[in-house]
Amino acid sequence: MRSFLACIALFAPAAAMAAPDVTIDSTAFVERTIQDTSGKAKIVLEAPKVVTPGDRVIFVLTYRNGGSQPATGFVINNPLPAAVSYEGSEGAQPIVSVDGGKSWGALAALKIAQPDGSTRPATSADVTHLRWTFAAIAPGQTGKLSFRGVVK
Amino acid sequence: MNLWGSGARLACVQTIVSMCALAASLSVSSQALANGTVAGTNIDNVATATFDLPGGGTSTISSNTITLKVDELLDVTVVSADPGDVVTSPAATNQLLKFTVTNAGNGNESFALTAVDTGGGDDFDPSVTSVVIDSNGNNAYDAGIDTVYVAGANEPNLTPDTSVTIFILSTIPGGAGNGNRGRVDLSATAMTGSGSPGTSFAGLGQGGGAAVVGATGAQAGDDGYYAISAATLSLVKSAAVTDQFSGNQQIPGATITYTLVASAAGSGSVANVQVSDPVPAGTTYKLNSLTLDGGALTDATDGDAGRLNSNAIAVSLGSVAAGSSHTITFQVLID
């Protein structure tokens, strides 16, 4: 391990030192319906440890470039947990995959092969992966991406 | 020779076959429910990011992993599995109602059963004598084979999405009148707990998490009805003779027109009514003379209700509602 690090230091010192310092943080919230003091139903977001089928979960990804160099060709991939059925994204819209990450596109453009050889339009429940692409993230830039799903 | 003799015969067969077919389809349909992720499963979400390195190549970083544990949801449904009111008669014993109890939650769960026979909204109270679990899963009540339910001892345990058929056996009160209905409610309650949706039982869920009451309140019920049906069928036969000399003499060559009127009285209906009548000895059936309610029927066994079979006419009337009647005629020639 030490020799491997030494090699990097030897042959790519500039790259290693100037690499964008990018972090990404994942959090999740669940929508719960509560009754407020006047007895009206109200939707609140909670940071859950546990969920039950049917719960609507909002996943939030926070990215940050803490370095001094822009991060170019910035791509975030999020495989959807198997137990979550995708419902949509807020803000920046991802391209999606419905075949385990093999092919990508806007949901409306994707098709699902049927057992009889025909195809049908893909629906949000078919989504397996999400991907956001940015040309560059400037030094100091942060952003949030979020998507919603229902626990199957 | 008794040309007036009434050999006409009625057959009323309850449509047991069609009821069994319906029950079978009900048990299959419960498989279509999808109640999702099994309790105890972890949902892990992690994102990765890739970006270009200034000196060429790319770098990949991962986010933290956020883990959500799927708790057990307690849900149950109960539906009557009878196609309609179960037809019975006063003082009848071991009269069956059938229900389907389905574990609509996402964990293995046992359900306590309660049958209530004293609810209102009906005309008489059946007396429930036993609640029986269809333990061999054949959707039919098998006395001595299926397990009699004993509260606290043998609550049916169901895996997620599966169903069990529950039979209720009742005695019908002797005083129940014609057309009266009697109701029995079956309810099922999750043994882990029930209550208002969202109620949580810490540590009691499958997989060690909480068990949370789902939208059904972890308790459900449905009702089934017995109905006293005293529909009775009567058949009246008459004959008219026309001889070849425009008279009414019973002589060789004369035509006898028989008229059979089948009437249902009382309440409800009589199912699967078949009328048959042999051609009297000493006469010959006049081909294609059979009619039903004024319309001609062919002698062949085909799409219409009538046929000539073994020198007897036979007409299928199907279900005859109380208060309605059907008229059948046919002609014979005296030999």
Side-chain angles (χ1 to χ4, degrees):
Chain A
M1 192 61 187
R2 181 170 295 168
S3 64
F4 177 65
L5 289 173
C7 282
I8 291 175
L10 201 64
F11 293 109
M17 287 171 68
D21 178 18
V22 177
T23 57
I24 182 162
D25 180 58
S26 168
T27 53
F29 301 92
V30 66
E31 279 186 12
R32 301 257 194 241
T33 304
I34 61 160
Q35 294 214 326
D36 66 14
T37 48
S38 65
K40 278 188 188 153
K42 191 173 151 186
I43 293 173
V44 296
L45 291 182
E46 290 179 355
K49 279 284 183 288
V50 293
V51 292
T52 51
D55 274 347
R56 184 162 281 115
V57 181
I58 299 171
F59 293 94
V60 178
L61 305 174
T62 307
Y63 58 86
R64 172 178 162 78
N65 184 353
S68 57
Q69 296 287 321
T72 56
F74 189 70
V75 177
I76 291 179
N77 281 300
N78 196 136
L80 204 65
V84 173
S85 177
Y86 180 66
E87 285 210 321
S89 298
E90 277 143 52
Q93 292 296 309
I95 57 170
V96 300
S97 173
V98 293
D99 58 6
K102 289 199 270 295
S103 56
W104 296 83
L107 183 59
L110 298 176
K111 303 255 187 260
I112 295 284
Q114 301 280 82
D116 65 0
S118 65
T119 61
R120 65 166 171 85
T123 68
S124 61
D126 298 316
V127 170
T128 61
H129 288 67
L130 307 173
R131 174 179 285 176
W132 290 264
T133 302
F134 302 87
I137 306 295
Q141 186 179 343
T142 67
K144 278 186 197 294
L145 303 168
S146 74
F147 62 96
R148 295 149 59 95
V150 171
V151 178
K152 291 185 207 169
Chain B
M1 184 176 69
N2 178 12
L3 297 178
W4 303 88
S6 177
R9 194 162 55 84
L10 271 175
C12 310
V13 184
Q14 291 295 331
T15 51
I16 290 167
V17 173
S18 64
M19 284 170 68
C20 289
L22 186 72
S25 70
L26 282 168
S27 71
V28 170
S29 68
S30 65
Q31 301 301 312
L33 295 168
N35 299 310
T37 311
V38 173
T41 304
N42 280 337
I43 297 176
D44 293 327
N45 193 59
V46 58
T48 60
T50 60
F51 49 92
D52 301 334
L53 290 172
T58 60
S59 177
T60 300
I61 58 162
S62 293
S63 73
N64 60 308
T65 301
I66 185 129
T67 300
L68 305 175
K69 194 182 198 64
V70 177
D71 272 348
E72 181 175 350
L73 200 57
L74 301 169
D75 268 322
V76 61
T77 62
V78 176
V79 290
S80 167
D82 290 310
D85 289 1
V86 172
V87 174
T88 185
S89 53
T93 59
N94 294 332
Q95 298 298 291
L96 275 181
L97 290 178
K98 205 157 124 176
F99 294 86
T100 304
V101 175
T102 302
N103 179 358
N106 66 338
N108 296 340
E109 187 62 32
S110 295
F111 296 95
L113 306 174
T114 311
V116 176
D117 53 18
T118 52
D122 57 1
D123 306 307
F124 64 87
D125 286 339
S127 174
V128 172
T129 50
S130 58
V131 176
V132 179
I133 302 161
D134 182 27
S135 46
N136 63 0
N138 69 349
N139 240 310
Y141 172 64
D142 301 302
I145 296 172
D146 287 334
T147 309
V148 175
Y149 170 68
V150 180
N154 61 355
E155 276 75 15
N157 184 277
L158 299 175
T159 55
D161 288 350
T162 59
S163 302
V164 65
T165 299
I166 302 295
F167 304 104
I168 286 178
L169 278 71
S170 304
T171 298
I172 307 301
N178 192 15
N180 283 359
R181 298 173 84 214
R183 191 179 101 198
V184 177
D185 301 322
L186 178 72
S187 67
T189 306
M191 294 290 279
T192 300
S194 59
S196 49
T199 305
S200 184
F201 301 97
L204 295 184
Q206 182 175 321
V212 180
V213 175
T216 61
Q219 180 170 41
D222 198 8
D223 46 34
Y225 280 90
Y226 297 103
I228 308 292
S229 175
T232 53
L233 200 65
S234 60
L235 189 62
V236 176
K237 185 175 182 179
S238 58
V241 180
T242 312
D243 68 33
Q244 56 272 52
F245 310 110
S246 302
N248 303 104
Q249 301 295 312
Q250 289 179 46
I251 55 174
T255 299
I256 305 174
T257 302
Y258 288 107
T259 302
L260 297 162
V261 179
S263 310
S267 65
S269 62
V270 183
N272 202 9
V273 177
Q274 311 259 3
V275 176
S276 59
D277 195 6
V279 174
T283 70
T284 301
Y285 175 71
K286 191 171 167 186
L287 292 177
N288 291 314
S289 63
L290 187 59
T291 71
L292 171 61
D293 296 332
L297 300 176
T298 62
D299 295 337
T301 300
D302 52 17
D304 70 30
R307 61 207 168 274
L308 184 74
N309 215 343
S310 305
N311 207 34
I313 63 101
V315 179
S316 303
L317 297 179
S319 176
V320 180
S324 68
S325 66
H326 293 286
T327 302
I328 297 160
T329 68
F330 67 99
Q331 294 178 327
V332 298
L333 298 173
I334 299 175
D335 295 339

